[in-house]
Amino acid sequence: MERRREAALTGGTAGRRLTSIDGGRGDDGPAEPAGPPQEPGTVRGLRPERRDEGEPPTVPEQARLWHVVLSVAGRVTPLSALRAGLERLAHDHSFFLTARYAADHAEIRYWEQARDLHDAAAIALRLWGEHKVTASLPPWEIVGLEVVDRATYHKRVAEGFGDPPPHLGGVHPY
């Protein structure tokens, strides 16, 4: 009878059962599993690993800074309207560095704070579309994206590659 009930509770894996959960009984120590596994190679039950008293607590993963270069292009747009839109975008986006523009394309450089490259790239790919209406940006498409971590960016600049644009800060024509 116990074998049938155990199979129903564990989804048909009769040899596997959870035997204890730390803190589940209100006691301070870990509970020991109730006996050895039923079959060779089965798992007794999972418990979180205990740290030694001397180890520091684990720090949650921190967001990092990523340097982003977003290139957009599309139909020819009046330069005054484009410049005004890019300036509104610069005002809305807190880590905005610089933008260069021409009548049919633009390049935006800024810092993004994200957990990893994947998140930074995803945010960058949404930037133009999310600010298109609020900043009155033209309906252009993204044609290029570069995302590098802070150390790589500074290494490139120190080695003479990937120099910062000639006009740091603000919105400037090419």
Side-chain angles (χ1 to χ4, degrees), residues 57-109:
T58 57
V59 177
E61 196 169 337
Q62 298 283 332
R64 297 167 33 193
L65 283 178
W66 300 87
H67 185 261
V68 176
V69 180
L70 183 69
S71 300
V72 293
R75 290 187 182 177
V76 173
T77 301
L79 291 178
S80 59
L82 179 58
R83 180 183 178 96
L86 289 171
E87 286 174 346
R88 280 189 291 275
L89 176 62
H91 185 267
D92 291 347
H93 199 277
S94 58
F95 292 113
F96 188 89
L97 283 179
T98 188
R100 298 186 300 174
Y101 64 94
D104 63 346
H105 65 281
E107 176 186 270
I108 303 164
R109 294 174 175 261

mmCIF file of all heavy atoms in Angstrom, residues 57-109:
data_model
loop_
_atom_site.group_PDB
_atom_site.id
_atom_site.type_symbol
_atom_site.label_atom_id
_atom_site.label_comp_id
_atom_site.label_asym_id
_atom_site.label_seq_id
_atom_site.Cartn_x
_atom_site.Cartn_y
_atom_site.Cartn_z
ATOM 1 N N PRO A 57 28.346 36.355 3.518
ATOM 2 C CA PRO A 57 27.092 36.024 2.830
ATOM 3 C C PRO A 57 27.233 36.327 1.342
ATOM 4 O O PRO A 57 27.971 37.220 0.947
ATOM 5 C CB PRO A 57 26.057 36.940 3.488
ATOM 6 C CG PRO A 57 26.840 38.029 4.121
ATOM 7 C CD PRO A 57 28.192 37.463 4.436
ATOM 8 N N THR A 58 26.518 35.578 0.532
ATOM 9 C CA THR A 58 26.604 35.799 -0.907
ATOM 10 C C THR A 58 25.922 37.110 -1.261
ATOM 11 O O THR A 58 24.881 37.459 -0.719
ATOM 12 C CB THR A 58 25.940 34.646 -1.683
ATOM 13 O OG1 THR A 58 24.595 34.533 -1.242
ATOM 14 C CG2 THR A 58 26.683 33.343 -1.465
ATOM 15 N N VAL A 59 26.549 37.837 -2.163
ATOM 16 C CA VAL A 59 26.032 39.128 -2.604
ATOM 17 C C VAL A 59 25.188 38.895 -3.843
ATOM 18 O O VAL A 59 25.602 38.175 -4.747
ATOM 19 C CB VAL A 59 27.204 40.086 -2.933
ATOM 20 C CG1 VAL A 59 26.695 41.412 -3.451
ATOM 21 C CG2 VAL A 59 28.085 40.276 -1.718
ATOM 22 N N PRO A 60 24.000 39.498 -3.919
ATOM 23 C CA PRO A 60 23.194 39.331 -5.120
ATOM 24 C C PRO A 60 23.933 39.908 -6.329
ATOM 25 O O PRO A 60 24.725 40.826 -6.196
ATOM 26 C CB PRO A 60 21.907 40.107 -4.827
ATOM 27 C CG PRO A 60 22.166 40.894 -3.610
ATOM 28 C CD PRO A 60 23.375 40.341 -2.932
ATOM 29 N N GLU A 61 23.664 39.338 -7.489
ATOM 30 C CA GLU A 61 24.342 39.770 -8.697
ATOM 31 C C GLU A 61 24.081 41.252 -8.944
ATOM 32 O O GLU A 61 22.947 41.709 -8.927
ATOM 33 C CB GLU A 61 23.828 38.939 -9.870
ATOM 34 C CG GLU A 61 24.709 39.038 -11.068
ATOM 35 C CD GLU A 61 24.337 38.021 -12.118
ATOM 36 O OE1 GLU A 61 23.728 37.005 -11.786
ATOM 37 O OE2 GLU A 61 24.653 38.265 -13.286
ATOM 38 N N GLN A 62 25.154 42.004 -9.173
ATOM 39 C CA GLN A 62 25.072 43.447 -9.363
ATOM 40 C C GLN A 62 24.932 43.782 -10.846
ATOM 41 O O GLN A 62 25.453 43.079 -11.701
ATOM 42 C CB GLN A 62 26.346 44.111 -8.835
ATOM 43 C CG GLN A 62 26.573 43.919 -7.360
ATOM 44 C CD GLN A 62 25.694 44.816 -6.526
ATOM 45 O OE1 GLN A 62 25.301 45.889 -6.963
ATOM 46 N NE2 GLN A 62 25.360 44.375 -5.340
ATOM 47 N N ALA A 63 24.268 44.881 -11.131
ATOM 48 C CA ALA A 63 24.186 45.374 -12.499
ATOM 49 C C ALA A 63 25.536 45.987 -12.863
ATOM 50 O O ALA A 63 26.241 46.511 -12.010
ATOM 51 C CB ALA A 63 23.079 46.404 -12.615
ATOM 52 N N ARG A 64 25.897 45.892 -14.132
ATOM 53 C CA ARG A 64 27.156 46.440 -14.626
ATOM 54 C C ARG A 64 26.857 47.510 -15.656
ATOM 55 O O ARG A 64 25.756 47.605 -16.173
ATOM 56 C CB ARG A 64 27.985 45.324 -15.271
ATOM 57 C CG ARG A 64 28.358 44.258 -14.290
ATOM 58 C CD ARG A 64 28.910 42.988 -14.890
ATOM 59 N NE ARG A 64 29.684 43.117 -16.091
ATOM 60 C CZ ARG A 64 30.029 42.087 -16.864
ATOM 61 N NH1 ARG A 64 29.652 40.874 -16.532
ATOM 62 N NH2 ARG A 64 30.733 42.258 -17.951
ATOM 63 N N LEU A 65 27.863 48.312 -15.971
ATOM 64 C CA LEU A 65 27.713 49.330 -16.998
ATOM 65 C C LEU A 65 28.213 48.791 -18.333
ATOM 66 O O LEU A 65 29.272 48.168 -18.404
ATOM 67 C CB LEU A 65 28.491 50.591 -16.639
ATOM 68 C CG LEU A 65 27.847 51.482 -15.602
ATOM 69 C CD1 LEU A 65 28.750 52.674 -15.293
ATOM 70 C CD2 LEU A 65 26.491 51.981 -16.065
ATOM 71 N N TRP A 66 27.428 49.059 -19.375
ATOM 72 C CA TRP A 66 27.738 48.621 -20.729
ATOM 73 C C TRP A 66 27.730 49.837 -21.641
ATOM 74 O O TRP A 66 26.812 50.665 -21.576
ATOM 75 C CB TRP A 66 26.693 47.622 -21.208
ATOM 76 C CG TRP A 66 26.618 46.414 -20.339
ATOM 77 C CD1 TRP A 66 25.865 46.259 -19.212
ATOM 78 C CD2 TRP A 66 27.349 45.210 -20.491
ATOM 79 N NE1 TRP A 66 26.076 45.020 -18.676
ATOM 80 C CE2 TRP A 66 26.985 44.352 -19.442
ATOM 81 C CE3 TRP A 66 28.276 44.759 -21.434
ATOM 82 C CZ2 TRP A 66 27.524 43.081 -19.303
ATOM 83 C CZ3 TRP A 66 28.802 43.487 -21.297
ATOM 84 C CH2 TRP A 66 28.430 42.669 -20.239
ATOM 85 N N HIS A 67 28.731 49.965 -22.499
ATOM 86 C CA HIS A 67 28.754 51.061 -23.462
ATOM 87 C C HIS A 67 28.007 50.600 -24.714
ATOM 88 O O HIS A 67 28.305 49.561 -25.279
ATOM 89 C CB HIS A 67 30.197 51.441 -23.821
ATOM 90 C CG HIS A 67 30.259 52.632 -24.703
ATOM 91 N ND1 HIS A 67 30.423 52.525 -26.070
ATOM 92 C CD2 HIS A 67 30.152 53.945 -24.428
ATOM 93 C CE1 HIS A 67 30.426 53.741 -26.582
ATOM 94 N NE2 HIS A 67 30.257 54.616 -25.609
ATOM 95 N N VAL A 68 27.032 51.389 -25.125
ATOM 96 C CA VAL A 68 26.156 51.028 -26.242
ATOM 97 C C VAL A 68 26.302 52.051 -27.364
ATOM 98 O O VAL A 68 26.327 53.257 -27.112
ATOM 99 C CB VAL A 68 24.677 50.987 -25.786
ATOM 100 C CG1 VAL A 68 23.749 50.699 -26.960
ATOM 101 C CG2 VAL A 68 24.486 49.982 -24.672
ATOM 102 N N VAL A 69 26.427 51.553 -28.588
ATOM 103 C CA VAL A 69 26.368 52.394 -29.782
ATOM 104 C C VAL A 69 25.214 51.855 -30.622
ATOM 105 O O VAL A 69 25.254 50.721 -31.090
ATOM 106 C CB VAL A 69 27.684 52.363 -30.586
ATOM 107 C CG1 VAL A 69 27.559 53.250 -31.822
ATOM 108 C CG2 VAL A 69 28.861 52.784 -29.727
ATOM 109 N N LEU A 70 24.186 52.669 -30.761
ATOM 110 C CA LEU A 70 22.984 52.282 -31.501
ATOM 111 C C LEU A 70 22.933 53.100 -32.784
ATOM 112 O O LEU A 70 22.975 54.334 -32.739
ATOM 113 C CB LEU A 70 21.746 52.558 -30.649
ATOM 114 C CG LEU A 70 20.402 52.153 -31.222
ATOM 115 C CD1 LEU A 70 20.290 50.629 -31.285
ATOM 116 C CD2 LEU A 70 19.277 52.722 -30.364
ATOM 117 N N SER A 71 22.850 52.419 -33.921
ATOM 118 C CA SER A 71 22.765 53.098 -35.218
ATOM 119 C C SER A 71 21.366 52.888 -35.790
ATOM 120 O O SER A 71 20.860 51.769 -35.814
ATOM 121 C CB SER A 71 23.800 52.525 -36.192
ATOM 122 O OG SER A 71 25.093 52.697 -35.669
ATOM 123 N N VAL A 72 20.769 53.978 -36.245
ATOM 124 C CA VAL A 72 19.427 53.930 -36.828
ATOM 125 C C VAL A 72 19.465 54.628 -38.183
ATOM 126 O O VAL A 72 20.301 55.500 -38.425
ATOM 127 C CB VAL A 72 18.372 54.598 -35.905
ATOM 128 C CG1 VAL A 72 18.180 53.806 -34.633
ATOM 129 C CG2 VAL A 72 18.764 56.022 -35.574
ATOM 130 N N ALA A 73 18.547 54.240 -39.065
ATOM 131 C CA ALA A 73 18.493 54.853 -40.398
ATOM 132 C C ALA A 73 17.087 54.725 -40.951
ATOM 133 O O ALA A 73 16.306 53.881 -40.521
ATOM 134 C CB ALA A 73 19.497 54.185 -41.337
ATOM 135 N N GLY A 74 16.796 55.596 -41.935
ATOM 136 C CA GLY A 74 15.487 55.569 -42.573
ATOM 137 C C GLY A 74 15.353 56.687 -43.588
ATOM 138 O O GLY A 74 16.352 57.195 -44.102
ATOM 139 N N ARG A 75 14.111 57.070 -43.842
ATOM 140 C CA ARG A 75 13.828 58.134 -44.807
ATOM 141 C C ARG A 75 14.437 59.464 -44.347
ATOM 142 O O ARG A 75 14.576 59.719 -43.163
ATOM 143 C CB ARG A 75 12.336 58.320 -44.964
ATOM 144 C CG ARG A 75 11.673 57.198 -45.671
ATOM 145 C CD ARG A 75 10.242 57.553 -45.926
ATOM 146 N NE ARG A 75 9.569 56.449 -46.579
ATOM 147 C CZ ARG A 75 8.309 56.449 -46.881
ATOM 148 N NH1 ARG A 75 7.561 57.485 -46.584
ATOM 149 N NH2 ARG A 75 7.770 55.407 -47.469
ATOM 150 N N VAL A 76 14.703 60.296 -45.304
ATOM 151 C CA VAL A 76 15.250 61.623 -45.018
ATOM 152 C C VAL A 76 14.256 62.389 -44.150
ATOM 153 O O VAL A 76 13.046 62.397 -44.413
ATOM 154 C CB VAL A 76 15.537 62.386 -46.331
ATOM 155 C CG1 VAL A 76 15.949 63.820 -46.046
ATOM 156 C CG2 VAL A 76 16.613 61.666 -47.126
ATOM 157 N N THR A 77 14.799 62.998 -43.103
ATOM 158 C CA THR A 77 13.999 63.751 -42.126
ATOM 159 C C THR A 77 14.588 65.151 -42.013
ATOM 160 O O THR A 77 15.814 65.307 -42.066
ATOM 161 C CB THR A 77 14.072 63.051 -40.746
ATOM 162 O OG1 THR A 77 13.579 61.727 -40.893
ATOM 163 C CG2 THR A 77 13.277 63.771 -39.705
ATOM 164 N N PRO A 78 13.763 66.178 -41.848
ATOM 165 C CA PRO A 78 14.315 67.528 -41.656
ATOM 166 C C PRO A 78 15.267 67.549 -40.448
ATOM 167 O O PRO A 78 14.950 67.032 -39.377
ATOM 168 C CB PRO A 78 13.081 68.397 -41.397
ATOM 169 C CG PRO A 78 11.942 67.618 -41.966
ATOM 170 C CD PRO A 78 12.306 66.174 -41.852
ATOM 171 N N LEU A 79 16.438 68.130 -40.625
ATOM 172 C CA LEU A 79 17.466 68.106 -39.588
ATOM 173 C C LEU A 79 17.023 68.786 -38.291
ATOM 174 O O LEU A 79 17.360 68.316 -37.208
ATOM 175 C CB LEU A 79 18.752 68.754 -40.109
ATOM 176 C CG LEU A 79 19.477 67.962 -41.205
ATOM 177 C CD1 LEU A 79 20.710 68.716 -41.682
ATOM 178 C CD2 LEU A 79 19.862 66.592 -40.703
ATOM 179 N N SER A 80 16.257 69.850 -38.400
ATOM 180 C CA SER A 80 15.825 70.552 -37.184
ATOM 181 C C SER A 80 14.899 69.667 -36.341
ATOM 182 O O SER A 80 15.024 69.614 -35.108
ATOM 183 C CB SER A 80 15.137 71.872 -37.525
ATOM 184 O OG SER A 80 14.011 71.628 -38.355
ATOM 185 N N ALA A 81 13.992 68.939 -36.991
ATOM 186 C CA ALA A 81 13.083 68.049 -36.262
ATOM 187 C C ALA A 81 13.855 66.867 -35.670
ATOM 188 O O ALA A 81 13.587 66.436 -34.540
ATOM 189 C CB ALA A 81 11.985 67.539 -37.192
ATOM 190 N N LEU A 82 14.811 66.331 -36.429
ATOM 191 C CA LEU A 82 15.619 65.220 -35.940
ATOM 192 C C LEU A 82 16.447 65.638 -34.737
ATOM 193 O O LEU A 82 16.500 64.936 -33.725
ATOM 194 C CB LEU A 82 16.518 64.696 -37.063
ATOM 195 C CG LEU A 82 17.454 63.556 -36.708
ATOM 196 C CD1 LEU A 82 16.682 62.353 -36.177
ATOM 197 C CD2 LEU A 82 18.295 63.169 -37.906
ATOM 198 N N ARG A 83 17.087 66.793 -34.838
ATOM 199 C CA ARG A 83 17.903 67.281 -33.721
ATOM 200 C C ARG A 83 17.048 67.483 -32.472
ATOM 201 O O ARG A 83 17.421 67.084 -31.376
ATOM 202 C CB ARG A 83 18.606 68.583 -34.095
ATOM 203 C CG ARG A 83 19.452 69.119 -32.972
ATOM 204 C CD ARG A 83 20.102 70.457 -33.324
ATOM 205 N NE ARG A 83 20.866 70.943 -32.206
ATOM 206 C CZ ARG A 83 22.169 70.760 -32.056
ATOM 207 N NH1 ARG A 83 22.850 70.107 -32.966
ATOM 208 N NH2 ARG A 83 22.779 71.248 -30.987
ATOM 209 N N ALA A 84 15.881 68.065 -32.621
ATOM 210 C CA ALA A 84 14.983 68.292 -31.475
ATOM 211 C C ALA A 84 14.574 66.956 -30.843
ATOM 212 O O ALA A 84 14.551 66.821 -29.615
ATOM 213 C CB ALA A 84 13.756 69.088 -31.906
ATOM 214 N N GLY A 85 14.275 65.954 -31.670
ATOM 215 C CA GLY A 85 13.911 64.643 -31.155
ATOM 216 C C GLY A 85 15.053 63.981 -30.405
ATOM 217 O O GLY A 85 14.860 63.405 -29.328
ATOM 218 N N LEU A 86 16.272 64.060 -30.958
ATOM 219 C CA LEU A 86 17.437 63.476 -30.286
ATOM 220 C C LEU A 86 17.753 64.196 -28.977
ATOM 221 O O LEU A 86 18.175 63.581 -27.995
ATOM 222 C CB LEU A 86 18.647 63.496 -31.220
ATOM 223 C CG LEU A 86 18.576 62.520 -32.399
ATOM 224 C CD1 LEU A 86 19.710 62.769 -33.385
ATOM 225 C CD2 LEU A 86 18.592 61.079 -31.911
ATOM 226 N N GLU A 87 17.529 65.510 -28.940
ATOM 227 C CA GLU A 87 17.747 66.250 -27.690
ATOM 228 C C GLU A 87 16.726 65.843 -26.625
ATOM 229 O O GLU A 87 17.062 65.735 -25.448
ATOM 230 C CB GLU A 87 17.714 67.756 -27.954
ATOM 231 C CG GLU A 87 18.974 68.232 -28.651
ATOM 232 C CD GLU A 87 18.932 69.694 -29.056
ATOM 233 O OE1 GLU A 87 17.829 70.312 -29.046
ATOM 234 O OE2 GLU A 87 19.995 70.225 -29.402
ATOM 235 N N ARG A 88 15.475 65.601 -27.039
ATOM 236 C CA ARG A 88 14.474 65.117 -26.081
ATOM 237 C C ARG A 88 14.859 63.728 -25.575
ATOM 238 O O ARG A 88 14.721 63.418 -24.388
ATOM 239 C CB ARG A 88 13.092 65.100 -26.722
ATOM 240 C CG ARG A 88 12.425 66.464 -26.763
ATOM 241 C CD ARG A 88 10.975 66.368 -27.216
ATOM 242 N NE ARG A 88 10.856 66.001 -28.623
ATOM 243 C CZ ARG A 88 10.900 66.876 -29.638
ATOM 244 N NH1 ARG A 88 11.055 68.159 -29.390
ATOM 245 N NH2 ARG A 88 10.777 66.454 -30.882
ATOM 246 N N LEU A 89 15.360 62.870 -26.474
ATOM 247 C CA LEU A 89 15.815 61.545 -26.072
ATOM 248 C C LEU A 89 16.964 61.663 -25.077
ATOM 249 O O LEU A 89 16.992 60.954 -24.072
ATOM 250 C CB LEU A 89 16.254 60.735 -27.295
ATOM 251 C CG LEU A 89 16.844 59.350 -27.017
ATOM 252 C CD1 LEU A 89 15.817 58.452 -26.341
ATOM 253 C CD2 LEU A 89 17.350 58.727 -28.305
ATOM 254 N N ALA A 90 17.891 62.570 -25.328
ATOM 255 C CA ALA A 90 19.020 62.779 -24.414
ATOM 256 C C ALA A 90 18.531 63.230 -23.040
ATOM 257 O O ALA A 90 19.069 62.820 -22.012
ATOM 258 C CB ALA A 90 19.982 63.814 -24.993
ATOM 259 N N HIS A 91 17.509 64.032 -23.019
ATOM 260 C CA HIS A 91 16.951 64.501 -21.756
ATOM 261 C C HIS A 91 16.258 63.373 -21.005
ATOM 262 O O HIS A 91 16.343 63.276 -19.781
ATOM 263 C CB HIS A 91 15.973 65.655 -22.017
ATOM 264 C CG HIS A 91 15.447 66.269 -20.773
ATOM 265 N ND1 HIS A 91 14.269 65.861 -20.188
ATOM 266 C CD2 HIS A 91 15.950 67.249 -19.991
ATOM 267 C CE1 HIS A 91 14.069 66.566 -19.095
ATOM 268 N NE2 HIS A 91 15.066 67.409 -18.946
ATOM 269 N N ASP A 92 15.571 62.498 -21.740
ATOM 270 C CA ASP A 92 14.831 61.389 -21.126
ATOM 271 C C ASP A 92 15.735 60.258 -20.643
ATOM 272 O O ASP A 92 15.403 59.569 -19.687
ATOM 273 C CB ASP A 92 13.823 60.791 -22.120
ATOM 274 C CG ASP A 92 12.684 61.729 -22.426
ATOM 275 O OD1 ASP A 92 12.517 62.727 -21.702
ATOM 276 O OD2 ASP A 92 11.956 61.459 -23.406
ATOM 277 N N HIS A 93 16.842 60.023 -21.329
ATOM 278 C CA HIS A 93 17.708 58.880 -21.025
ATOM 279 C C HIS A 93 18.875 59.340 -20.151
ATOM 280 O O HIS A 93 19.718 60.122 -20.578
ATOM 281 C CB HIS A 93 18.208 58.237 -22.317
ATOM 282 C CG HIS A 93 18.704 56.854 -22.119
ATOM 283 N ND1 HIS A 93 19.970 56.576 -21.671
ATOM 284 C CD2 HIS A 93 18.102 55.661 -22.286
ATOM 285 C CE1 HIS A 93 20.121 55.278 -21.572
ATOM 286 N NE2 HIS A 93 18.997 54.699 -21.948
ATOM 287 N N SER A 94 18.951 58.836 -18.940
ATOM 288 C CA SER A 94 19.886 59.356 -17.951
ATOM 289 C C SER A 94 21.364 59.113 -18.268
ATOM 290 O O SER A 94 22.204 59.894 -17.863
ATOM 291 C CB SER A 94 19.558 58.769 -16.580
ATOM 292 O OG SER A 94 19.606 57.366 -16.631
ATOM 293 N N PHE A 95 21.721 58.043 -18.971
ATOM 294 C CA PHE A 95 23.130 57.750 -19.234
ATOM 295 C C PHE A 95 23.557 58.155 -20.641
ATOM 296 O O PHE A 95 24.563 57.700 -21.146
ATOM 297 C CB PHE A 95 23.420 56.253 -19.034
ATOM 298 C CG PHE A 95 23.303 55.818 -17.606
ATOM 299 C CD1 PHE A 95 22.306 54.951 -17.215
ATOM 300 C CD2 PHE A 95 24.185 56.270 -16.660
ATOM 301 C CE1 PHE A 95 22.198 54.541 -15.905
ATOM 302 C CE2 PHE A 95 24.100 55.867 -15.339
ATOM 303 C CZ PHE A 95 23.099 55.004 -14.962
ATOM 304 N N PHE A 96 22.789 59.017 -21.271
ATOM 305 C CA PHE A 96 23.056 59.450 -22.637
ATOM 306 C C PHE A 96 24.402 60.153 -22.713
ATOM 307 O O PHE A 96 24.715 61.017 -21.903
ATOM 308 C CB PHE A 96 21.939 60.413 -23.061
ATOM 309 C CG PHE A 96 21.968 60.807 -24.500
ATOM 310 C CD1 PHE A 96 21.288 60.041 -25.435
ATOM 311 C CD2 PHE A 96 22.655 61.920 -24.915
ATOM 312 C CE1 PHE A 96 21.288 60.407 -26.774
ATOM 313 C CE2 PHE A 96 22.664 62.276 -26.245
ATOM 314 C CZ PHE A 96 21.983 61.524 -27.178
ATOM 315 N N LEU A 97 25.230 59.774 -23.692
ATOM 316 C CA LEU A 97 26.518 60.438 -23.891
ATOM 317 C C LEU A 97 26.457 61.431 -25.031
ATOM 318 O O LEU A 97 26.647 62.619 -24.849
ATOM 319 C CB LEU A 97 27.608 59.409 -24.205
ATOM 320 C CG LEU A 97 28.155 58.594 -23.064
ATOM 321 C CD1 LEU A 97 29.201 57.614 -23.566
ATOM 322 C CD2 LEU A 97 28.755 59.495 -22.018
ATOM 323 N N THR A 98 26.211 60.912 -26.236
ATOM 324 C CA THR A 98 26.235 61.772 -27.404
ATOM 325 C C THR A 98 25.432 61.157 -28.550
ATOM 326 O O THR A 98 25.213 59.945 -28.572
ATOM 327 C CB THR A 98 27.692 62.026 -27.858
ATOM 328 O OG1 THR A 98 27.714 63.004 -28.866
ATOM 329 C CG2 THR A 98 28.359 60.764 -28.339
ATOM 330 N N ALA A 99 25.030 62.005 -29.460
ATOM 331 C CA ALA A 99 24.354 61.537 -30.674
ATOM 332 C C ALA A 99 24.927 62.318 -31.846
ATOM 333 O O ALA A 99 25.194 63.519 -31.741
ATOM 334 C CB ALA A 99 22.856 61.740 -30.581
ATOM 335 N N ARG A 100 25.122 61.613 -32.936
ATOM 336 C CA ARG A 100 25.514 62.246 -34.196
ATOM 337 C C ARG A 100 24.411 61.915 -35.190
ATOM 338 O O ARG A 100 23.835 60.836 -35.141
ATOM 339 C CB ARG A 100 26.858 61.716 -34.686
ATOM 340 C CG ARG A 100 27.976 62.021 -33.717
ATOM 341 C CD ARG A 100 29.331 61.639 -34.239
ATOM 342 N NE ARG A 100 29.419 60.214 -34.518
ATOM 343 C CZ ARG A 100 30.469 59.644 -35.092
ATOM 344 N NH1 ARG A 100 31.488 60.364 -35.471
ATOM 345 N NH2 ARG A 100 30.489 58.341 -35.312
ATOM 346 N N TYR A 101 24.138 62.842 -36.086
ATOM 347 C CA TYR A 101 23.011 62.614 -36.989
ATOM 348 C C TYR A 101 23.257 63.238 -38.353
ATOM 349 O O TYR A 101 24.056 64.169 -38.515
ATOM 350 C CB TYR A 101 21.726 63.181 -36.381
ATOM 351 C CG TYR A 101 21.753 64.682 -36.217
ATOM 352 C CD1 TYR A 101 21.233 65.514 -37.210
ATOM 353 C CD2 TYR A 101 22.291 65.269 -35.084
ATOM 354 C CE1 TYR A 101 21.265 66.895 -37.072
ATOM 355 C CE2 TYR A 101 22.321 66.638 -34.938
ATOM 356 C CZ TYR A 101 21.816 67.450 -35.932
ATOM 357 O OH TYR A 101 21.860 68.808 -35.801
ATOM 358 N N ALA A 102 22.552 62.701 -39.329
ATOM 359 C CA ALA A 102 22.453 63.245 -40.686
ATOM 360 C C ALA A 102 20.979 63.111 -41.054
ATOM 361 O O ALA A 102 20.185 62.581 -40.269
ATOM 362 C CB ALA A 102 23.350 62.466 -41.637
ATOM 363 N N ALA A 103 20.611 63.549 -42.219
ATOM 364 C CA ALA A 103 19.201 63.563 -42.607
ATOM 365 C C ALA A 103 18.576 62.166 -42.667
ATOM 366 O O ALA A 103 17.375 62.017 -42.468
ATOM 367 C CB ALA A 103 19.030 64.263 -43.956
ATOM 368 N N ASP A 104 19.391 61.129 -42.917
ATOM 369 C CA ASP A 104 18.823 59.790 -43.080
ATOM 370 C C ASP A 104 19.395 58.740 -42.122
ATOM 371 O O ASP A 104 19.077 57.562 -42.244
ATOM 372 C CB ASP A 104 18.988 59.318 -44.519
ATOM 373 C CG ASP A 104 20.451 59.178 -44.911
ATOM 374 O OD1 ASP A 104 21.333 59.683 -44.180
ATOM 375 O OD2 ASP A 104 20.714 58.562 -45.971
ATOM 376 N N HIS A 105 20.243 59.131 -41.184
ATOM 377 C CA HIS A 105 20.768 58.173 -40.207
ATOM 378 C C HIS A 105 21.299 58.900 -38.970
ATOM 379 O O HIS A 105 21.552 60.110 -39.010
ATOM 380 C CB HIS A 105 21.865 57.292 -40.822
ATOM 381 C CG HIS A 105 23.100 58.039 -41.229
ATOM 382 N ND1 HIS A 105 23.171 58.757 -42.388
ATOM 383 C CD2 HIS A 105 24.293 58.180 -40.623
ATOM 384 C CE1 HIS A 105 24.365 59.304 -42.493
ATOM 385 N NE2 HIS A 105 25.070 58.972 -41.424
ATOM 386 N N ALA A 106 21.446 58.139 -37.896
ATOM 387 C CA ALA A 106 21.959 58.703 -36.648
ATOM 388 C C ALA A 106 22.669 57.611 -35.855
ATOM 389 O O ALA A 106 22.435 56.411 -36.065
ATOM 390 C CB ALA A 106 20.824 59.296 -35.823
ATOM 391 N N GLU A 107 23.534 58.061 -34.954
ATOM 392 C CA GLU A 107 24.254 57.146 -34.075
ATOM 393 C C GLU A 107 24.147 57.699 -32.659
ATOM 394 O O GLU A 107 24.419 58.875 -32.422
ATOM 395 C CB GLU A 107 25.720 57.078 -34.497
ATOM 396 C CG GLU A 107 26.578 56.225 -33.595
ATOM 397 C CD GLU A 107 28.032 56.306 -33.985
ATOM 398 O OE1 GLU A 107 28.452 55.478 -34.820
ATOM 399 O OE2 GLU A 107 28.725 57.200 -33.471
ATOM 400 N N ILE A 108 23.737 56.845 -31.739
ATOM 401 C CA ILE A 108 23.560 57.252 -30.345
ATOM 402 C C ILE A 108 24.531 56.443 -29.494
ATOM 403 O O ILE A 108 24.595 55.221 -29.614
ATOM 404 C CB ILE A 108 22.121 56.982 -29.880
ATOM 405 C CG1 ILE A 108 21.131 57.711 -30.785
ATOM 406 C CG2 ILE A 108 21.927 57.375 -28.429
ATOM 407 C CD1 ILE A 108 19.723 57.208 -30.661
ATOM 408 N N ARG A 109 25.290 57.126 -28.652
ATOM 409 C CA ARG A 109 26.229 56.471 -27.737
ATOM 410 C C ARG A 109 25.779 56.772 -26.320
ATOM 411 O O ARG A 109 25.525 57.929 -25.981
ATOM 412 C CB ARG A 109 27.646 56.999 -27.940
ATOM 413 C CG ARG A 109 28.228 56.660 -29.276
ATOM 414 C CD ARG A 109 29.581 57.351 -29.467
ATOM 415 N NE ARG A 109 30.178 56.926 -30.700
ATOM 416 C CZ ARG A 109 31.118 55.991 -30.795
ATOM 417 N NH1 ARG A 109 31.563 55.414 -29.700
ATOM 418 N NH2 ARG A 109 31.596 55.646 -31.955
#
